[in-house]
Amino acid sequence: MSPAPVMVLACGNPSRGDDALGPLLLDRLQAWLEVTGEAAGSELLGDFQLQIEHALDLVGRRLVLFIDAGRQTPAPFVFRQAQAVDGAPYSTHALPPEALLAVLPRIDHQTAPPAFVLCVRGERFELGEGLSAAASCHADRAFELLQELFRTPEIDCWRSLLSG
Amino acid sequence: MQGDHFELENAPADAGTLRRVAIDPVSRVEGHGKVTLLLDENGQVQQVRLHIVEFRGFEKFIQGRPYWEVPVMVQRLCGICPVSHHLAAAKALDHVLGADRLTPTAGKVRRLMHYGQILQSHALHFFHLSSPDLLFGFASEAGRRNIVGVAAAYPEIARHGVLLRKFGQEVIRLTAGKRVHGTGAIPGGVNRSLNREERDSLLAEIYAIVGWSRQAVQLVKRLHAADPALYDSFGTFRSNILSLVGADGSLDFYDGHLRARDADGRILVDGFPIQNYQQLIREEVKPWSYMKFPFLAALGPQHGWYKVGPLARVQNCDRIPTPLAEAERREFIDHGQGNLVHAPLAYHWARMIEMLHAAETIKALLHDDDLSGSTLVTSGVRKRQGVGVIEAPRGTLIHHYQVDDDDLVSSCNLIVSTTHNNQPMNEAIRRVAQRYLSGRELTEGLLNHIEVAIRAFDPCLSCATHALGKMPLQLELQDAVGQVVDRRCTAS
């Protein structure tokens, strides 16, 4: 069975304040895609962090979207295209999207698909906190963008919606 | 035994004008860590400290919740080893429920989940966090010293690492019900077993997984053999060791009793019941650190601190109950020539032996029809508290809960693996600083030696948050009055 053409990878911990932005938006997108009957065209996956094995989730996709919270991101969000970055200088247990895109061709001999990052500004990230009021507003704006993206999941359309 | 173990913890009062170097945070270590070095005017190291932001806030997070929610909620404490917290909590709450003996199906499904976690965590650590240092050299070009660099130079090694990790994640998905935020373990048992089709899907891959794990052990042995002087001496210090061992003294990551040995390998404590852990372990508070320093109560803080994790486990047990890993353990023990191996870099070797054991255990479990049984839960006489201890990938993990009659958690205490290894990590970086940094101009490559020593322990600093831009690497150079004279910052 061939994979869904669009892969959405959302990162974040639902119990750490605004880090929940990723999983929250993923859930809203999933519900919206089911209502609109477009769910079959996309695979949605949430995780705490991007890890090395997520490179294999990119295989065979036409488009990839990463959703994450950002600490210093201009409000309400930044939507940008991600390019593979070889030799990312440092990494923690988690990988940035750019490093993941660089790893894929090395291990699977496939070119990474076009990938975009939706980075939504968060303010507070403490354990046990809920979403901040500011982040909630940012999430609403980001969800409007997600609806636009998934009405026309084509690279040219997504490029036309890049921030700035 | 450890007479000089506080050397370099505090700078001497007569050290004169000191220069302060901070590595903040340590890269490729989960969460937030900071190393501070105080150097005198000649560049001689006078004080070295690893500061870790303590695992905090979890009591408030857990208190007041119904006990049956806890195994799911605690996965959110840590984004790196959620399964370990999931299982340690479930084990503690088994006791609260009076389920002192799980059904065969529940016990084996949980064990399979845990060994899948060990396999994927060890694979991630070795192939993607530590192998860049080991394959390229500690002071090699920083831009190459990462997983992307490994994938470019050693694509097969990187590919095996990815596929081992992926397999471990699949084991977790099938046993926990979901790839992340699983619910498989519940107080008293599990909520699902594996059907034949699921077992067959894992069996189709397990033989390759065992093979790649064997290759990983060979790789780490070749690295040791290529430079034994470095691998045996880098950051080396002597200490006690502590871990769970199985009822028969075998290596066991999931269950058993506590055993401790001294630095010469003599057994200090054996058969210690996990429910009484507070009688065995105390924690010391030091004014300069947020993280506590555990020690064996009978020996006191000065002499009672200990290592946990792969290096401790492989040497604390009497045997490994799978043949390939046992053969490797014997070779590892022989390497010590009758002494315990204390070298931090030997953690990598021990870790790969454990990964092989996890792969062999998974293979054996997948052939066991109890995995597909239907009796999933048991219970007994309700108690007000329970302790769950598990050997997480990084070491001994303790969860302790008290539950009121209204079924709400009234208090909890966690001792995580990284806390046990707090003093050992500090000791390792002091040895490294003294050997490699003293009197020399501090370059990125030299400072990376400190990080190599820390990473050998695979610390997890409990931060499950990874918002983009939240984890820069900062290096600050400060003069004696705290003035920042240089600063470098690189986004993760």
Side-chain angles (χ1 to χ4, degrees), chain B residues 243 245-247 249 256-260 267-274 276 280:
Chain B
S243 72
V245 295
H257 56 251
L258 291 164
R259 174 187 282 178
I267 288 181
L268 294 167
V269 178
D270 200 8
F272 200 91
I274 60 174
N276 300 337
L280 181 67

Side-chain angles (χ1 to χ4, degrees), chain B residues 72-187:
Chain B
V72 173
M73 294 307 297
V74 292
Q75 294 178 87
R76 297 180 181 185
L77 297 175
C78 175
I80 293 302
C81 44
V83 171
S84 300
H85 286 294
H86 180 57
L87 288 172
K91 285 186 69 182
L93 294 164
D94 290 341
H95 287 278
V96 171
L97 207 60
D100 296 327
R101 192 178 186 84
L102 297 184
T103 69
T105 297
K108 288 173 184 175
V109 169
R110 282 193 191 179
R111 188 173 286 271
L112 179 62
M113 186 193 306
H114 187 43
Y115 281 62
Q117 154 88 350
I118 293 275
L119 184 125
Q120 61 91 9
S121 179
H122 281 3
L124 177 71
H125 180 269
F126 180 70
F127 288 97
H128 302 296
L129 300 179
S130 293
S131 70
D133 296 318
L134 305 180
L135 293 170
F136 297 134
F138 305 166
S140 59
E141 181 195 344
R144 190 179 179 217
R145 213 188 305 128
N146 54 58
I147 177 53
V148 181
V150 172
Y154 302 94
E156 274 305 289
I157 289 176
R159 185 169 167 274
H160 288 174
V162 172
L163 294 175
L164 282 161
R165 167 93 181 161
K166 184 85 174 172
F167 179 82
Q169 294 288 72
E170 185 63 5
V171 171
I172 292 167
R173 187 183 72 82
L174 292 174
T175 51
K178 291 163 72 177
R179 187 161 150 181
V180 291
H181 312 160
T183 61
I186 58 176

